[in-house]
Amino acid sequence: MDEIHTYKIIFYDGLEIPSHNEEMYAQFYLSIFPPEAMITILACLDFAVEDIIAEDALMSEKQALELLVEFYHVEPIEPIQANDMKKLNRVVRTAEINLYNGLLIEINRYWGRNDETGSDHEVKMDTFLPKKPEFKQAIENLRIPLGF
């Protein structure tokens, strides 16, 4: 049986952006994908949004979770209060993954996307993104403000 991981996804570039409080927008879910694969999947979703909608398009964590639920069969869960857990850090490549007592894996989409940018990102997209026409339609239907 596959191990089930508990994830928290955020998007935070290290700047103080008043309209984007990372804890307020964080999304939580369960998945059998390991952390390294989940970083790549999330980055590929961001690349797909940029390719299909616009280069400066940025989907929200909620929209990312909706795509994960529909196409990767993750299970959304209620927010977990990580403040009460002791935070342990582990770095996978340059994308930061924070572990909270080994129970909660936090992935920052900003750093994950940056880590996956490179000459092979189109190969990764071909490998990790669904081939169904419904996937492209789901991306096109996202209501995303341009510019970040």
Side-chain angles (χ1 to χ4, degrees), residues 113-146:
R113 185 215 173 281
N114 285 350
D115 186 50
E116 295 294 334
T117 301
S119 59
D120 65 341
H121 85 274
E122 289 183 7
V123 172
K124 290 177 183 176
M125 289 174 65
D126 192 51
T127 303
F128 286 92
L129 294 178
K131 309 292 187 274
K132 304 174 185 178
E134 296 86 4
F135 175 72
K136 183 177 180 187
Q137 187 64 48
I139 298 284
E140 290 171 346
N141 290 340
L142 294 174
R143 304 188 89 164
I144 297 178
L146 302 182

Side-chain angles (χ1 to χ4, degrees), residues 43-59:
C44 287
L45 289 174
D46 283 322
F47 295 144
V49 166
E50 293 167 13
D51 285 353
I52 294 169
I53 297 177
E55 263 188 49
D56 63 347
L58 175 63
M59 72 179 152

Side-chain angles (χ1 to χ4, degrees), residues 39-127:
I39 287 172
T40 303
I41 290 167
L42 287 165
C44 287
L45 289 174
D46 283 322
F47 295 144
V49 166
E50 293 167 13
D51 285 353
I52 294 169
I53 297 177
E55 263 188 49
D56 63 347
L58 175 63
M59 72 179 152
S60 69
E61 288 84 347
K62 183 177 180 187
Q63 290 168 322
L65 180 59
E66 289 168 358
L67 292 172
L68 289 172
V69 168
E70 184 173 353
F71 296 102
Y72 296 90
H73 310 293
V74 306
E75 180 183 337
I77 59 172
E78 292 297 315
I80 297 171
Q81 298 303 317
N83 298 343
D84 299 333
M85 298 182 186
K86 181 180 176 188
K87 185 174 178 179
L88 307 168
N89 288 324
R90 182 179 97 187
V91 175
V92 176
R93 295 181 303 236
T94 60
E96 180 180 322
I97 295 181
N98 293 316
L99 298 176
Y100 296 88
N101 282 353
L103 301 175
L104 176 66
I105 302 165
E106 178 184 276
I107 298 177
N108 184 331
R109 286 179 36 229
Y110 178 82
W111 295 113
R113 185 215 173 281
N114 285 350
D115 186 50
E116 295 294 334
T117 301
S119 59
D120 65 341
H121 85 274
E122 289 183 7
V123 172
K124 290 177 183 176
M125 289 174 65
D126 192 51
T127 303

Side-chain angles (χ1 to χ4, degrees), residues 6-10 22-30 65 75-85 103-104:
T6 305
Y7 287 99
K8 170 186 174 185
I9 53 172
I10 61 170
E22 68 175 274
E23 293 302 319
M24 183 186 309
Y25 296 105
Q27 297 291 311
F28 296 79
Y29 60 94
L30 302 174
L65 180 59
E75 180 183 337
I77 59 172
E78 292 297 315
I80 297 171
Q81 298 303 317
N83 298 343
D84 299 333
M85 298 182 186
L103 301 175
L104 176 66

